[in-house]
Amino acid sequence: NRGRYVRWRSKENVIAEINDIRKDHFVKVVHFVDDSFGVNRDWLKDFITSLPRNGKDRIALQANMRADMVTEDLCDVFEEYGVNHLRLRIAVECGNEYFRRIILRKDISNERLIKAGDMLHRYNIQFVTYNMVCLPGETLAQAFETLRMNLRLKPLLALCFVFQPFPGTELAEYSIKNGYLSPQSFAE
């Protein structure tokens, strides 16, 4: 409860770190593993426009991005940087909107996922989707909804993972409470 909860690094600091790494290592792609990529749109636009765009200094960027963070103004900046130097990863997780919102507690509608996918296609920005199956209480019909959502979104690649509960998480507790796992599942 002291100070700012989220601290944003300056674009200069991030670019300097990338350049330091590139001095000693062959780097063609920088992957931002950050759930907040796109939350601060002004910072992201400023960062992208500050990156080098000439031959050997230009890097490819990959990042995880929430579908509700995909906006026209960001897509304009991405397009200007070069869509062939960018790949986004969007989490669908489950094609059933009710399940996604209530069980997974991810408040993103199917409409917003489709809007983001359509926008990315319009700008020719490649994207990959993250999906999960074997969620606690998921039916086969719901798993097929996830497949249909991916067919609608037409990502470059649809990655699918089998749900793995971690002790102490809400989904693990939900799984135990609803009989999908026994309390001894996490015993050592």
Side-chain angles (χ1 to χ4, degrees):
N1 291 331
R2 294 186 182 152
R4 290 176 19 201
Y5 188 74
V6 175
R7 291 168 290 184
W8 297 99
R9 293 174 60 189
S10 71
K11 72 169 193 244
E12 294 84 8
N13 181 274
V14 176
I15 291 170
E17 182 178 350
I18 292 168
N19 290 335
D20 283 347
I21 292 168
R22 292 180 81 190
K23 283 180 196 170
D24 298 325
H25 305 283
F26 178 72
V27 177
K28 289 180 76 170
V29 178
V30 173
H31 187 146
F32 291 87
V33 182
D34 181 355
D35 291 341
S36 62
F37 193 80
V39 168
N40 186 337
R41 285 197 337 256
D42 291 334
W43 183 96
L44 183 56
K45 289 188 290 189
D46 195 30
F47 171 73
I48 299 287
T49 56
S50 299
L51 290 171
R53 295 169 189 229
N54 59 347
K56 67 180 180 72
D57 290 331
R58 183 184 295 225
I59 56 172
L61 302 174
Q62 293 185 16
N64 300 335
M65 190 169 213
R66 285 177 51 106
D68 55 354
M69 300 295 157
V70 177
T71 60
E72 293 281 348
D73 59 333
L74 277 179
C75 286
D76 285 335
V77 172
F78 294 154
E79 182 180 49
E80 189 179 304
Y81 182 70
V83 295
N84 56 333
H85 288 87
L86 177 71
R87 181 168 301 146
L88 297 177
R89 298 177 185 323
I90 305 290
V92 170
E93 293 173 349
C94 178
N96 181 282
E97 184 174 332
Y98 175 84
F99 200 94
R100 184 182 326 107
R101 287 179 182 250
I102 303 303
I103 306 302
L104 300 180
R105 296 181 183 244
K106 183 167 186 174
D107 194 24
I108 295 181
S109 67
N110 285 351
E111 179 183 352
R112 189 62 188 107
L113 283 167
I114 291 167
K115 182 179 177 183
D118 289 349
M119 192 179 311
L120 293 171
H121 282 296
R122 202 167 50 252
Y123 281 88
N124 293 312
I125 297 171
Q126 295 181 348
F127 68 99
V128 170
T129 58
Y130 289 138
N131 305 275
M132 291 189 290
V133 292
C134 301
L135 293 159
E138 180 184 46
T139 65
L140 183 58
Q142 288 169 326
F144 277 112
E145 285 182 67
T146 303
L147 174 63
R148 282 191 294 279
M149 175 59 75
N150 280 274
L151 290 171
R152 170 60 180 85
L153 295 174
K154 297 182 179 99
L156 178 69
L157 180 65
L159 299 171
C160 189
F161 304 93
V162 174
F163 170 69
Q164 175 65 47
F166 289 104
T169 62
E170 284 185 42
L171 272 180
E173 297 302 321
Y174 174 88
S175 298
I176 291 169
K177 179 181 174 188
N178 290 284
Y180 301 114
L181 290 173
S182 71
Q184 293 76 30
S185 297
F186 300 116
E188 293 183 20

Coordinates of all heavy atoms in Angstrom, one line a residue, residues 36-76:
S36 N 0.0 -6.9 -19.6 CA -0.4 -5.5 -19.7 C 0.0 -4.8 -20.9 O -0.1 -3.6 -21.1 CB 0.0 -4.7 -18.4 OG 1.4 -4.7 -18.4
F37 N 0.5 -5.6 -21.9 CA 0.9 -5.0 -23.2 C -0.3 -4.4 -23.8 O -1.2 -5.1 -24.1 CB 1.5 -6.1 -24.1 CG 2.3 -5.6 -25.3 CD1 3.6 -5.1 -25.2 CD2 1.7 -5.6 -26.5 CE1 4.3 -4.7 -26.3 CE2 2.4 -5.2 -27.6 CZ 3.7 -4.7 -27.5
G38 N -0.3 -3.1 -24.0 CA -1.5 -2.5 -24.6 C -2.4 -1.8 -23.6 O -3.2 -1.0 -24.0
V39 N -2.2 -2.0 -22.3 CA -3.0 -1.3 -21.3 C -2.7 0.2 -21.3 O -3.7 1.0 -21.3 CB -2.7 -1.9 -19.9 CG1 -3.4 -1.0 -18.8 CG2 -3.2 -3.3 -19.8
N40 N -1.5 0.5 -21.4 CA -1.1 2.0 -21.5 C -0.9 2.2 -23.0 O 0.3 2.2 -23.5 CB 0.1 2.2 -20.7 CG 0.5 3.7 -20.6 OD1 0.1 4.5 -21.5 ND2 1.2 4.1 -19.6
R41 N -1.9 2.5 -23.7 CA -1.8 2.7 -25.2 C -0.9 3.8 -25.6 O -0.1 3.7 -26.5 CB -3.2 2.9 -25.8 CG -4.1 1.7 -25.8 CD -5.2 1.8 -26.8 NE -5.8 3.0 -27.1 CZ -6.9 3.6 -26.6 NH1 -7.6 2.9 -25.7 NH2 -7.3 4.7 -27.0
D42 N -0.9 4.9 -24.9 CA 0.0 6.0 -25.2 C 1.4 5.6 -25.1 O 2.3 5.9 -25.9 CB -0.3 7.3 -24.3 CG -1.7 7.9 -24.7 OD1 -2.1 7.7 -25.8 OD2 -2.2 8.5 -23.8
W43 N 1.8 4.9 -24.0 CA 3.2 4.4 -23.8 C 3.5 3.5 -25.0 O 4.6 3.6 -25.5 CB 3.3 3.7 -22.5 CG 4.7 3.3 -22.2 CD1 5.6 4.0 -21.5 CD2 5.4 2.1 -22.7 NE1 6.8 3.3 -21.4 CE2 6.7 2.1 -22.2 CE3 5.0 1.0 -23.5 CZ2 7.6 1.1 -22.5 CZ3 5.9 0.0 -23.7 CH2 7.2 0.1 -23.2
L44 N 2.6 2.6 -25.3 CA 2.9 1.6 -26.3 C 3.1 2.2 -27.7 O 4.0 1.9 -28.4 CB 1.8 0.5 -26.3 CG 2.1 -0.6 -27.3 CD1 3.4 -1.4 -27.1 CD2 0.9 -1.6 -27.3
K45 N 2.2 3.2 -28.0 CA 2.4 3.8 -29.3 C 3.7 4.6 -29.4 O 4.4 4.6 -30.4 CB 1.2 4.8 -29.5 CG -0.1 4.1 -29.8 CD -1.3 5.0 -30.2 CE -1.7 5.9 -29.1 NZ -2.9 6.6 -29.4
D46 N 4.0 5.3 -28.3 CA 5.3 6.0 -28.2 C 6.5 5.1 -28.3 O 7.5 5.4 -29.0 CB 5.3 6.8 -26.9 CG 6.4 7.9 -26.9 OD1 6.7 8.4 -28.0 OD2 6.9 8.2 -25.8
F47 N 6.4 3.9 -27.7 CA 7.5 2.9 -27.7 C 7.7 2.4 -29.1 O 8.8 2.4 -29.7 CB 7.2 1.8 -26.7 CG 8.1 0.6 -26.9 CD1 9.4 0.7 -26.4 CD2 7.7 -0.6 -27.4 CE1 10.3 -0.4 -26.5 CE2 8.5 -1.7 -27.5 CZ 9.8 -1.6 -27.1
I48 N 6.6 2.0 -29.7 CA 6.6 1.4 -31.1 C 7.2 2.4 -32.1 O 8.0 2.1 -32.9 CB 5.3 0.9 -31.6 CG1 4.7 -0.2 -30.6 CG2 5.3 0.4 -33.0 CD1 5.4 -1.5 -30.8
T49 N 6.7 3.7 -32.0 CA 7.2 4.7 -33.0 C 8.7 5.1 -32.7 O 9.3 5.6 -33.6 CB 6.3 5.9 -32.9 OG1 6.3 6.5 -31.6 CG2 4.9 5.6 -33.4
S50 N 9.2 4.7 -31.5 CA 10.6 5.0 -31.2 C 11.6 3.9 -31.6 O 12.8 4.1 -31.6 CB 10.8 5.3 -29.7 OG 10.0 6.4 -29.3
L51 N 11.1 2.8 -32.0 CA 11.9 1.7 -32.4 C 12.6 1.9 -33.8 O 11.9 2.5 -34.7 CB 11.1 0.4 -32.4 CG 10.7 -0.2 -31.1 CD1 9.7 -1.3 -31.3 CD2 11.9 -0.6 -30.2
P52 N 13.8 1.5 -34.0 CA 14.4 1.6 -35.3 C 13.7 0.9 -36.4 O 13.1 -0.2 -36.1 CB 15.8 1.0 -35.1 CG 15.9 0.6 -33.7 CD 14.6 0.8 -33.0
R53 N 13.6 1.4 -37.5 CA 12.9 0.8 -38.6 C 13.7 0.5 -39.8 O 13.2 0.2 -40.9 CB 11.7 1.8 -39.1 CG 10.8 1.9 -37.9 CD 9.8 3.0 -38.1 NE 9.1 3.2 -36.9 CZ 7.8 3.2 -36.8 NH1 7.1 3.1 -37.9 NH2 7.3 3.4 -35.6
N54 N 15.0 0.6 -39.7 CA 15.9 0.3 -40.9 C 16.5 -1.1 -40.7 O 16.6 -1.6 -39.7 CB 17.0 1.4 -41.0 CG 17.9 1.5 -39.8 OD1 17.5 0.9 -38.7 ND2 19.0 2.1 -39.9
G55 N 16.7 -1.6 -41.9 CA 17.3 -3.0 -42.1 C 17.7 -3.8 -40.8 O 16.9 -4.4 -40.2
K56 N 19.0 -3.8 -40.5 CA 19.5 -4.7 -39.5 C 19.1 -4.3 -38.1 O 19.1 -5.1 -37.1 CB 21.0 -4.8 -39.6 CG 21.8 -3.5 -39.2 CD 23.3 -3.7 -39.4 CE 24.0 -2.5 -39.0 NZ 24.0 -2.1 -37.6
D57 N 18.7 -3.0 -37.9 CA 18.3 -2.6 -36.5 C 16.9 -2.9 -36.2 O 16.5 -2.8 -35.0 CB 18.6 -1.1 -36.4 CG 20.1 -0.8 -36.3 OD1 20.8 -1.6 -35.9 OD2 20.4 0.3 -36.8
R58 N 16.0 -3.1 -37.2 CA 14.6 -3.4 -36.9 C 14.5 -4.8 -36.3 O 15.1 -5.8 -36.8 CB 13.8 -3.3 -38.2 CG 12.3 -3.6 -37.9 CD 11.5 -3.6 -39.2 NE 11.6 -2.3 -39.9 CZ 10.5 -1.7 -40.4 NH1 9.4 -2.3 -40.4 NH2 10.7 -0.6 -41.0
I59 N 13.7 -4.9 -35.3 CA 13.4 -6.2 -34.7 C 12.0 -6.6 -34.8 O 11.1 -5.7 -35.0 CB 13.8 -6.2 -33.2 CG1 13.0 -5.1 -32.4 CG2 15.3 -6.1 -32.9 CD1 13.2 -5.1 -30.9
A60 N 11.7 -7.9 -34.8 CA 10.4 -8.4 -34.8 C 9.9 -8.4 -33.3 O 10.6 -8.7 -32.4 CB 10.3 -9.7 -35.4
L61 N 8.6 -8.0 -33.2 CA 8.0 -8.0 -31.9 C 6.9 -9.1 -31.8 O 6.1 -9.2 -32.7 CB 7.4 -6.7 -31.6 CG 8.3 -5.4 -31.7 CD1 7.5 -4.2 -31.5 CD2 9.4 -5.5 -30.6
Q62 N 6.9 -9.7 -30.6 CA 5.8 -10.6 -30.3 C 5.3 -10.2 -28.9 O 6.1 -9.9 -28.1 CB 6.2 -12.1 -30.3 CG 6.6 -12.6 -31.6 CD 7.0 -14.1 -31.6 OE1 6.6 -14.8 -30.6 NE2 7.6 -14.6 -32.6
A63 N 4.0 -10.3 -28.7 CA 3.4 -9.9 -27.4 C 2.1 -10.6 -27.2 O 1.3 -10.8 -28.1 CB 3.3 -8.4 -27.4
N64 N 1.8 -10.8 -25.9 CA 0.5 -11.3 -25.5 C -0.4 -10.0 -25.4 O 0.1 -9.0 -24.8 CB 0.5 -12.0 -24.2 CG 1.4 -13.2 -24.2 OD1 1.6 -13.8 -25.2 ND2 1.9 -13.6 -23.1
M65 N -1.6 -10.0 -25.9 CA -2.4 -8.9 -25.8 C -3.9 -9.3 -25.6 O -4.4 -10.2 -26.3 CB -2.3 -8.0 -27.1 CG -2.9 -6.7 -27.0 SD -2.4 -5.7 -28.5 CE -2.4 -4.1 -27.8
R66 N -4.5 -8.7 -24.7 CA -6.0 -8.9 -24.5 C -6.8 -8.4 -25.7 O -6.4 -7.4 -26.2 CB -6.5 -8.3 -23.2 CG -6.0 -9.0 -21.9 CD -6.5 -8.2 -20.7 NE -7.9 -7.9 -20.7 CZ -8.8 -8.5 -20.0 NH1 -8.4 -9.5 -19.1 NH2 -10.1 -8.1 -20.0
A67 N -7.8 -9.1 -26.0 CA -8.6 -8.7 -27.2 C -9.2 -7.4 -27.0 O -9.4 -6.6 -27.9 CB -9.7 -9.8 -27.4
D68 N -9.5 -7.0 -25.7 CA -10.1 -5.7 -25.5 C -9.1 -4.6 -25.5 O -9.5 -3.4 -25.4 CB -10.9 -5.7 -24.2 CG -10.2 -6.1 -23.0 OD1 -9.0 -6.6 -23.1 OD2 -10.7 -6.1 -21.9
M69 N -7.9 -4.9 -25.7 CA -6.8 -3.9 -25.9 C -6.5 -3.6 -27.3 O -5.8 -2.7 -27.6 CB -5.5 -4.3 -25.2 CG -5.7 -4.6 -23.7 SD -6.1 -3.0 -22.8 CE -6.8 -3.7 -21.4
V70 N -7.1 -4.4 -28.2 CA -6.8 -4.2 -29.7 C -7.7 -3.0 -30.1 O -8.9 -3.2 -30.1 CB -7.1 -5.5 -30.5 CG1 -7.0 -5.2 -32.0 CG2 -6.2 -6.6 -30.0
T71 N -7.1 -2.0 -30.6 CA -7.8 -0.8 -31.0 C -7.3 -0.3 -32.4 O -6.2 -0.6 -32.8 CB -7.7 0.4 -30.0 OG1 -6.3 0.7 -29.9 CG2 -8.2 0.0 -28.6
E72 N -8.1 0.5 -33.0 CA -7.7 1.0 -34.3 C -6.4 1.9 -34.2 O -5.6 1.7 -35.1 CB -8.8 1.9 -34.9 CG -10.1 1.2 -35.3 CD -10.1 0.5 -36.6 OE1 -9.1 0.7 -37.4 OE2 -11.0 -0.4 -36.8
D73 N -6.3 2.7 -33.2 CA -5.1 3.6 -33.1 C -3.9 2.7 -32.9 O -2.8 3.0 -33.5 CB -5.3 4.7 -32.1 CG -5.6 4.1 -30.6 OD1 -6.1 3.0 -30.5 OD2 -5.2 4.9 -29.7
L74 N -4.0 1.6 -32.1 CA -2.8 0.8 -32.0 C -2.5 0.0 -33.3 O -1.3 -0.1 -33.7 CB -3.0 -0.2 -30.8 CG -2.7 0.2 -29.4 CD1 -3.0 -0.9 -28.4 CD2 -1.3 0.7 -29.3
C75 N -3.5 -0.4 -33.9 CA -3.3 -1.1 -35.2 C -2.7 -0.2 -36.2 O -1.8 -0.6 -37.0 CB -4.6 -1.7 -35.7 SG -5.2 -3.2 -34.8
D76 N -3.0 1.1 -36.2 CA -2.4 2.1 -37.1 C -0.9 2.1 -36.8 O -0.1 2.1 -37.8 CB -3.0 3.5 -36.9 CG -4.4 3.6 -37.5 OD1 -4.7 2.9 -38.5 OD2 -5.1 4.5 -37.1

